[in-house]
């Protein structure tokens, strides 16, 4: 008996690392010390900070991976993995510096996992952070054949005086929404339940989605907001707070960006109604309340800005080819959110 007979091929793992080396090194940015293959990734903090604060975030992709496995498409979920981490770190005003990944599988499939790492590298490039290292674990008997799981970890940096923690948000601030590219990486268990119970397959092409299959629609990667939002701050726009709209939707994530004694009044009429979410609600017979408590409903990121800067903020993001629109304002309260539609 040897390790290969037990289901773990060490040589295959070494060959995989060699295969992805260029993908990883292609994400390197100033500050990276050394290359891949060591016991730890090394990064030198940028100069010029008076009181640098490191901000960390970790996340996964969730059951979106079940769709990737079902249709054998693995080039987008790596972007999701990065996005879920860097968008969280961004809410503190931090610039992502580096990213680490963890990939666990029953049997290492180089072609499959190279697609995954390609997506991770693309996500890191979009966020401007280095893919500093990672871990690939081959665990026979733990995962079904052809399946894998992902986890990611990101570290960013922000000047302490520029860090956002909710205390800067003021009564009267306007909530500016940046659109999502779909469901992102949340609510996929409900999506899968709807697809399965209504008799659809992942290669179904509902007319409403303009010829795209359901797999293509729901594997659309999460939008990464890092570069345009950081550029907005550097351009002098005042941003008092940010929220990444993930699991729990607007009701759960908007209050996380507020200071004590504050609440949010949404302008119901200004909320988007993307066809994707209308279709899910109709096909799955899901109530508006459950939809808004599960999905981002077309809003992936929210900025809180002074009322006087509403137009300039919207105009700035529009000039960067990113839609932006006001959806409400901060009012006195205790973290509640009002204005959520009770029907479609």
């Amino acid at each position: 008996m040897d390790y290969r007979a037990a289901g773990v091929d060490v040589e295959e793992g070494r060959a995989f690392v060699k295969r992805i080396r260029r993908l990883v090194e292609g994400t390197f940015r100033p500050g990276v010390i050394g290359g891949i293959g060591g016991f730890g990734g090394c990064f030198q903090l940028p100069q010029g900070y008076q009181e640098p604060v490191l901000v960390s975030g970790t996340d996964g992709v969730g059951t979106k991976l079940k769709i990737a496995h079902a249709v054998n498409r693995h080039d987008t979920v790596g972007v999701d993995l990065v996005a879920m981490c860097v968008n969280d770190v961004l809410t503190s005003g931090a610039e992502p510096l580096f990213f680490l990944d963890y990939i666990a599988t029953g049997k290492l499939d180089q072609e499959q996992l190279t697609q995954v790492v390609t997506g991770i590298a693309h996500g890191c490039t979009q966020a401007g952070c280095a893919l500093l290292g990672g871990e690939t674990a081959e665990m026979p008997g733990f995962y079904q054949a052809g399946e894998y799981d992902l986890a990611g970890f990101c570290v960013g940096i922000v000047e302490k005086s520029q860090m956002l923690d909710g205390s800067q948000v003021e009564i009267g601030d306007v909530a500016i929404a940046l659109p999502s590219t779909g469901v992102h990486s949340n609510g996929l268990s409900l999506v899968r339940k709807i697809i399965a119970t209504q008799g659809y397959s992942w290669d179904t092409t509902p007319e409403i989605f303009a010829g795209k299959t359901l797999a293509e629609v729901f594997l659309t990667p999460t939008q990464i907001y890092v570069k345009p939002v950081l550029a907005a701050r550097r351009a002098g726009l005042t941003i008092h707070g940010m929220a990444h709209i993930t699991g729990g939707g607007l009701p759960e994530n908007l209050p996380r960006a507020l200071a004590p004694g504050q609440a949010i009044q949404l302008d119901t009429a200004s909320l988007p109604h993307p066809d994707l979410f209308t279709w899910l609600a109709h096909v799955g017979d899901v109530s508006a309340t459950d939809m808004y408590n599960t999905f981002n409903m077309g809003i992936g990121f929210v900025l809180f800005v002074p009322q006087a800067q509403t137009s300039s903020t919207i105009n700035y993001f529009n000039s960067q080819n990113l839609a932006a629109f006001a959806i409400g304002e901060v009012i006195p309260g205790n973290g509640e959110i009002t204005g959520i539609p009770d029907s479609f």
Side-chain angles (χ1 to χ4, degrees):
M1 296 288 288
D2 59 16
Y3 213 4
R4 180 179 294 178
V8 180
D9 192 332
V10 175
E11 292 301 323
E12 188 79 1
R14 290 170 180 160
F16 174 63
V17 172
K18 290 181 180 179
R19 185 170 182 173
I20 65 173
R21 182 178 296 275
R22 286 189 178 180
L23 291 171
V24 175
E25 292 177 345
T27 70
F28 284 0
R29 53 168 286 167
V32 175
I33 299 175
I36 67 172
F39 289 101
C42 299
F43 195 95
Q44 183 174 356
L45 294 182
Q47 296 183 357
Y49 287 85
Q50 301 300 310
E51 293 183 285
V53 175
L54 296 181
V55 182
S56 63
T58 186
D59 210 334
V61 181
T63 61
K64 191 170 190 175
L65 293 178
K66 297 291 285 185
I67 306 175
H69 296 149
V71 300
N72 195 30
R73 181 182 176 184
H74 311 280
D75 59 334
T76 63
V77 291
V79 179
D80 290 294
L81 184 67
V82 176
M84 297 303 290
C85 296
V86 298
N87 287 342
D88 277 356
V89 166
L90 175 63
T91 62
S92 296
E95 174 189 0
L97 295 176
F98 59 84
F99 185 85
L100 303 174
D101 65 65
Y102 173 78
I103 306 174
T105 185
K107 181 173 177 55
L108 197 153
D109 180 331
Q110 285 198 49
E111 180 59 38
Q112 178 194 65
L113 297 189
T114 297
Q115 289 186 44
V116 174
V117 176
T118 297
I120 294 172
H122 286 165
C124 286
T125 299
Q126 291 178 40
C129 63
L131 178 51
L132 196 57
E135 172 70 11
T136 304
E138 196 170 14
M139 303 163 62
F142 200 86
Y143 295 95
Q144 294 186 25
E147 293 197 348
Y148 57 84
D149 197 10
L150 301 175
F153 173 76
C154 176
V155 171
I157 189 170
V158 62
E159 188 73 68
K160 188 174 183 179
S161 62
Q162 298 298 314
M163 186 170 64
L164 303 178
D165 59 7
S167 63
Q168 298 91 341
V169 178
E170 300 175 351
I171 303 296
D173 279 355
V174 175
I176 304 293
L178 304 181
S180 69
T181 51
V183 297
H184 285 180
S185 292
N186 302 103
L188 274 302
S189 293
L190 177 54
V191 169
R192 290 170 46 245
K193 183 71 171 178
I194 291 171
I195 299 301
T197 57
Q198 299 304 315
Y200 290 98
S201 65
W202 293 114
D203 60 3
T204 302
T205 55
E207 184 177 348
I208 196 171
F209 297 134
K212 288 187 176 181
T213 66
L214 290 176
E216 290 173 323
V217 169
F218 290 108
L219 285 177
T220 301
T222 305
Q223 177 74 37
I224 292 176
Y225 301 95
V226 172
K227 288 185 176 180
V229 170
L230 290 180
R233 296 194 82 191
R234 295 187 185 111
L237 293 178
T238 300
I239 299 176
H240 287 161
M242 308 185 204
H244 182 201
I245 310 306
T246 55
L250 294 171
E252 182 170 322
N253 290 288
L254 287 184
R256 296 169 64 185
L258 302 179
Q262 296 176 348
I264 297 176
Q265 173 66 56
L266 293 176
D267 177 5
T268 306
S270 70
L271 296 177
H273 295 88
D275 290 342
L276 167 60
F277 299 99
T278 302
W279 183 86
L280 280 172
H282 174 73
V283 172
D285 192 24
V286 184
S287 70
T289 298
D290 284 336
M291 289 294 294
Y292 275 93
N293 277 290
T294 303
F295 300 108
N296 62 56
M297 300 303 290
I299 297 172
F301 205 81
V302 174
L303 313 169
F304 294 95
V305 306
Q307 194 168 63
Q309 290 197 21
T310 302
S311 295
S312 59
T313 301
I314 292 173
N315 291 338
Y316 176 85
F317 284 104
N318 289 343
S319 72
Q320 304 301 306
N321 297 315
L322 184 60
F325 44 93
I327 59 169
E329 68 175 289
V330 179
I331 61 173
N334 295 301
E336 62 271 22
I337 178 171
T338 56
I340 293 290
D342 55 12
S343 64
F344 284 94

